[in-house]
Amino acid sequence: MERGLATAKWDAEGVAPTSAPLVTAGVLQDYQTTREQMPWIAPWYRQHGRPIRSHGYAGAESALHVTQQCTPNLRMAPGADDVGFDELVATVKKGIAIIDGGASTDFQNRAGAGGGTMREIVNGRLGDKLKYGGFLFDSAQIWKDLTAIGGPKSASRIASSDDKGEPNQTTMYSVEAVPGIIKNMSIIDMLRKA
Amino acid sequence: MTTRQNSLTARVPSPSAASTAPPQRSRFLSQAECTALFERARALATGGGDTQLRLESKWTGNVRYARNQITSSGDTQNNPVTLTRAIRGAAAAVQVNQIDDVPLEAAVRRAERLVRLWPEISDDARQMAQHFTPLPSPKVPTTGFRLDDTARDSAMRSLIQSREEPFLKPHIFFDSTFNLDAASRAAAVKPLVTPAAEAGMLAAGYIEVSARGRTVMDSVGLSLYYPYTTAQYSVTVRDPKGRGSGWAGVDWNDWTRVDAQQLSAIALDKCLKSRDPVAVEPGRYVAILEPQAVCDLCASIMKTPYVQRQFAESGRGPYAVGTEGGTKIGERIFDPRITISADPMDPDLGFVPFDEYGHIYHPATWVEHGVLKELAYPRSYGIANLGKNTGLPSNGAFRMSGGTVTIDEMIAGTKRGVLVTRFSSVAVVDESSLLSTGYTRDGLWLIENGKISKSIKNFRFTESPMFILNNVEQLGAPRRVFHPAAPIVVPPLKVRDFSFTSLSDAV
């Protein structure tokens, strides 16, 4: 990815990063890998008849930090139909639009929660803004609940970061993604208590 | 500048000896070295004005282990200098961590180039910068000025410290920490791992020690330096099949106060007892919060900006009253058994007596018997609004008062409730109430009829420390917890009506 936050000529282990399809048509295809990791997962690559080589995703926040596997720039392929956010909204009779904001997951990247600018969708049109709107999701399930995605014209790039490791470090990467429609999303009042 | 080394034998500066010690190359810079560095930067300056140097000279050493074996160890030295030049009412700051002459001069020149980028200066900005650079009558225009936040902060903080202010001198440099070299750290790991390995569990832990010299010096006359050490240890023990997890950790200035073996034993015990959790309904529970859980939830009550007086007076945060500048100072905000204080000289809480900008920390009682007594403010605020010549800054460190009830006694007196080891991923979702959300982690148990009955699955919670500290039933003895950002001493608490809102499958 050109000018992505994780774009590099070589990674921290001297490997030229390569693009790798991680998920194709909903099926897991590959892992994000470094040279250090390859011996650990070499059997999986042998089993699948693939070369045992790092994708070049080793990195560190700075020269003061330990080299480790870092999330590369990620790209979610657009849908075949070149529809945008507004056109997706137009297909929804009753729902909620999450327009911007952010989300984070628990310590095992399973349960997630987020918030931001959210508006009602009524008969295909954006309605009132939700005060203190938030959402909960299961990181694996959310992709299975995807019913439609935007096309090439709706793609946009955002910055994201990973905090991990001890000593702690933060690394940045870019994500190119398109909007999507997700069924059964849990919408909550962020100020709700049990 | 970064170096990695395995054998460490450098001399240790102390608060009393540092000012007279000869210049030396150490794992971090002494006061004499910082002074010499500042004088070199000052001599490189051109075009008049003033110069400020801020530096946290630091050595850190660490060892990490996972799956019962050491995975990495490192030593790092760094001298991140923030160098500010103020000329004719404008200021600009540059950061550099190479401190020999060539990069230092390049940093000075760059700061001076940045200063010249601001040709027009407003009254407000000129007033700030004048305190840093007390020029007689700067001939500058008065409109269209834009000062970046860093430069603005530098100018403002120099205003605050434009006069010498006495500071406390806590004993926070310890040879036990400084001498924990790579070999010592590696040797410390085996006894920490062995019990977990023998029990068939997987331990992962992290030891980090550091020795630092914090300095703030400027050409107006400020010259602050303080050496200190930090030590931290945390350990997670997990069942190999992911059936249970336990954690323990603490940080101190003195490594000898870190009882790593006891912490490892606690984590192992929690792991074994947390295996095979069952799901129980989310809802409101009586909760017994171990001190770490109290810290994880309540650290926000003393964090910037919430604890800042100006923030409250702007109508924001938990200590604001309305939007007309009122605060809750003088009002009872917590249970009367709660007193919250901070003192650099507190032997369980000691911290550097000034911040990285040179603000002096004074002993403060923020909450006394549940009544909000003070909110933090800078010296400029004290002068302008309170008729005081000092500020009352906060670095987030605090001690919360406690009681004498043990956790076992809390459990014995609970008909139905939960015991919480700690929280993670805690985020404030509403700044006016500090309502927060996050997850329980590394040990959560159901209490029934005065006994722990079973390990239960983790919860997501939505709760506020402002509410919980009004729902206190019992308090235990305060103790230091794991919070490397700022020292915190808190008691275990038994509270009612804690709001757990959903289940989390993570173990």
Side-chain angles (χ1 to χ4, degrees):
Chain A
M1 185 183 293
E2 281 194 22
R3 298 175 187 270
L5 292 172
T7 301
K9 183 79 171 173
W10 297 281
D11 77 351
E13 293 176 329
V15 178
T18 55
S19 294
L22 301 174
V23 174
T24 301
V27 178
L28 181 68
Q29 300 289 331
D30 207 342
Y31 297 100
Q32 301 168 21
T33 56
T34 67
R35 286 179 64 188
E36 182 191 26
Q37 293 170 332
M38 288 317 295
W40 311 342
I41 51 178
W44 187 88
Y45 283 87
R46 278 195 207 98
Q47 184 184 343
H48 290 78
R50 297 195 190 171
I52 301 171
R53 67 177 299 276
S54 165
H55 287 312
Y57 299 162
E61 180 181 326
S62 79
L64 296 171
H65 294 84
V66 175
T67 297
Q68 57 185 354
Q69 181 215 309
C70 294
T71 307
N73 299 316
L74 298 173
R75 180 173 178 269
M76 175 185 173
D81 297 332
D82 201 8
V83 295
F85 178 79
D86 293 340
E87 289 148 299
L88 290 175
V89 168
T91 67
V92 177
K93 188 172 182 184
K94 182 174 172 56
I96 301 292
I98 302 170
I99 297 170
D100 59 33
S104 60
T105 54
D106 67 12
F107 46 95
Q108 290 180 347
N109 283 337
R110 297 178 70 162
T117 304
M118 299 169 67
R119 292 176 66 177
E120 279 188 305
I121 303 174
V122 181
N123 295 324
R125 300 172 70 92
L126 292 176
D128 292 338
K129 190 175 171 183
L130 270 64
K131 193 175 183 184
Y132 299 120
F135 53 90
L136 303 178
F137 60 92
D138 177 292
S139 299
Q141 188 63 37
I142 194 171
W143 296 103
K144 297 174 184 171
D145 288 343
L146 203 59
T147 60
I149 60 173
K153 73 177 181 184
S154 66
S156 61
R157 183 185 292 195
I158 60 167
S160 192
S161 65
D162 275 341
D163 293 308
K164 59 183 180 180
E166 283 178 324
N168 182 261
Q169 59 174 299
T170 301
T171 54
M172 303 290 293
Y173 58 97
S174 295
V175 178
E176 282 186 2
V178 293
I181 298 177
I182 298 162
K183 63 181 181 183
N184 300 327
M185 192 86 170
S186 295
I187 303 298
I188 62 166
D189 174 354
M190 292 283 274
L191 303 192
R192 173 181 69 98
K193 297 176 73 177
Chain B
M1 180 180 294
T2 303
T3 60
R4 290 172 191 273
Q5 56 192 38
N6 292 319
S7 178
L8 305 166
T9 56
R11 294 177 58 187
V12 186
S14 66
S16 57
S19 60
T20 56
Q24 58 180 303
R25 274 290 171 190
S26 178
R27 278 180 266 165
F28 66 100
L29 300 182
S30 66
Q31 182 171 13
E33 289 169 317
C34 286
T35 302
L37 174 63
F38 169 67
E39 291 301 336
R40 277 198 291 132
R42 187 182 194 178
L44 290 166
T46 60
D50 280 294
T51 304
Q52 183 196 58
L53 183 142
R54 293 187 282 119
L55 166 61
E56 182 96 357
S57 180
K58 179 170 72 172
W59 159 77
T60 63
N62 65 69
V63 62
R64 173 162 175 74
Y65 63 91
R67 301 181 70 84
N68 298 340
Q69 58 185 345
I70 290 176
T71 56
S72 66
S73 176
D75 282 79
T76 304
Q77 290 176 246
N78 195 21
N79 291 306
V81 169
T82 300
L83 194 123
T84 303
R85 291 281 292 127
I87 304 172
R88 291 189 296 279
V94 168
Q95 287 192 324
V96 63
N97 68 348
Q98 286 182 278
I99 55 175
D100 42 325
D101 283 343
V102 173
L104 194 64
E105 182 172 10
V108 172
R109 293 286 95 75
R110 189 172 180 206
E112 290 168 348
R113 280 199 304 276
L114 289 170
V115 169
R116 288 194 292 271
L117 289 177
W118 315 120
E120 296 184 340
I121 299 175
S122 69
D123 284 346
D124 179 50
R126 186 178 61 211
Q127 187 180 15
M128 281 198 306
Q130 270 183 316
H131 288 274
F132 178 69
T133 313
L135 300 174
S137 57
K139 294 178 180 176
V140 290
T142 57
T143 57
F145 179 76
R146 292 182 302 135
L147 196 64
D148 67 41
D149 288 342
T150 303
R152 184 180 291 271
D153 283 348
S154 297
M156 178 56 85
R157 287 177 172 105
S158 294
L159 151 66
I160 294 158
Q161 290 302 331
S162 59
R163 291 177 54 181
E164 282 285 345
E165 191 177 350
F167 59 86
L168 299 165
K169 294 189 175 178
H171 178 47
I172 50 176
F173 191 102
F174 291 90
D175 289 347
S176 62
T177 305
F178 188 75
N179 293 332
L180 200 71
D181 61 15
S184 304
R185 296 193 302 271
V189 169
K190 189 172 182 181
L192 306 180
V193 165
T194 301
E198 289 177 347
M201 300 295 113
L202 297 175
Y206 182 65
I207 296 170
E208 183 179 293
V209 288
S210 77
R212 310 167 188 229
R214 178 176 295 174
T215 192
V216 184
M217 297 180 181
D218 67 30
S219 54
V220 181
L222 185 68
S223 182
L224 299 175
Y225 178 86
Y226 214 83
Y228 67 108
T229 52
T230 66
Q232 68 177 70
Y233 175 60
S234 62
V235 53
T236 303
V237 178
R238 292 181 62 80
D239 178 280
K241 294 181 179 174
R243 294 161 54 203
S245 179
W247 180 94
V250 75
D251 67 279
W252 287 100
N253 297 106
D254 180 1
W255 172 249
T256 61
R257 298 188 75 173
V258 177
D259 191 341
Q261 283 190 267
Q262 186 198 29
L263 293 168
S264 297
I266 290 170
L268 173 58
D269 184 57
K270 283 180 175 290
C271 171
L272 296 174
K273 289 178 177 171
S274 70
R275 286 183 293 180
D276 302 323
V278 298
V280 299
E281 278 294 309
R284 290 180 180 272
Y285 283 83
V286 168
I288 297 173
L289 309 178
E290 294 192 2
Q292 188 62 48
V294 173
C295 168
D296 296 334
L297 179 65
C298 296
S300 60
I301 63 175
M302 289 306 301
K303 275 189 176 167
T304 298
Y306 309 125
V307 74
Q308 299 293 326
R309 190 183 280 240
Q310 297 104 312
F311 191 71
E313 289 177 346
S314 70
R316 300 177 64 188
Y319 307 119
V321 176
T323 56
E324 302 298 320
T327 75
K328 292 181 180 173
I329 291 177
E331 292 184 18
R332 194 177 81 74
I333 59 169
F334 297 142
D335 183 287
R337 290 169 290 180
I338 301 290
T339 291
I340 296 173
S341 58
D343 183 349
M345 300 300 285
D346 184 331
D348 293 336
L349 199 69
F351 49 89
V352 181
F354 55 86
D355 72 6
E356 64 269 35
Y357 299 102
H359 294 109
I360 305 296
Y361 293 124
H362 301 283
T365 299
W366 306 105
V367 175
E368 189 171 38
H369 301 304
V371 176
L372 183 65
K373 305 296 286 188
E374 287 281 10
L375 288 170
Y377 55 87
R379 183 164 172 249
S380 58
Y381 181 98
I383 293 169
N385 300 289
L386 303 175
K388 296 181 178 178
N389 198 24
T390 57
L392 191 66
S394 167
N395 64 350
F398 68 89
R399 168 188 285 275
M400 184 185 294
S401 59
T404 58
V405 185
T406 66
I407 290 178
D408 286 343
E409 289 168 342
M410 292 178 188
I411 293 170
T414 303
K415 185 168 185 185
R416 182 175 166 83
V418 296
L419 173 63
V420 182
T421 298
R422 67 168 179 146
F423 298 114
S424 78
S425 307
V426 179
V428 173
V429 295
D430 176 45
E431 68 178 22
S432 65
S433 63
L434 294 186
L435 193 72
S436 304
T437 185
Y439 303 89
T440 62
R441 186 172 178 179
D442 297 319
L444 181 69
W445 293 274
L446 186 67
I447 301 165
E448 293 176 296
N449 300 318
K451 293 181 179 174
I452 290 177
S453 59
K454 61 191 74 166
S455 168
I456 58 176
K457 285 192 171 187
N458 284 307
F459 284 130
R460 178 174 178 270
F461 72 88
T462 303
E463 192 50 86
S464 164
M466 306 302 290
F467 304 154
I468 280 308
L469 293 177
N470 277 293
N471 287 347
V472 176
E473 294 197 343
Q474 292 177 309
L475 304 92
R479 69 169 171 82
R480 180 76 173 256
V481 293
F482 183 84
H483 193 260
I488 288 179
V489 175
V490 286
L493 296 176
K494 178 178 172 180
V495 299
R496 58 185 175 273
D497 294 334
F498 197 101
S499 178
F500 296 103
T501 45
S502 61
L503 285 169
S504 169
D505 283 332
V507 174

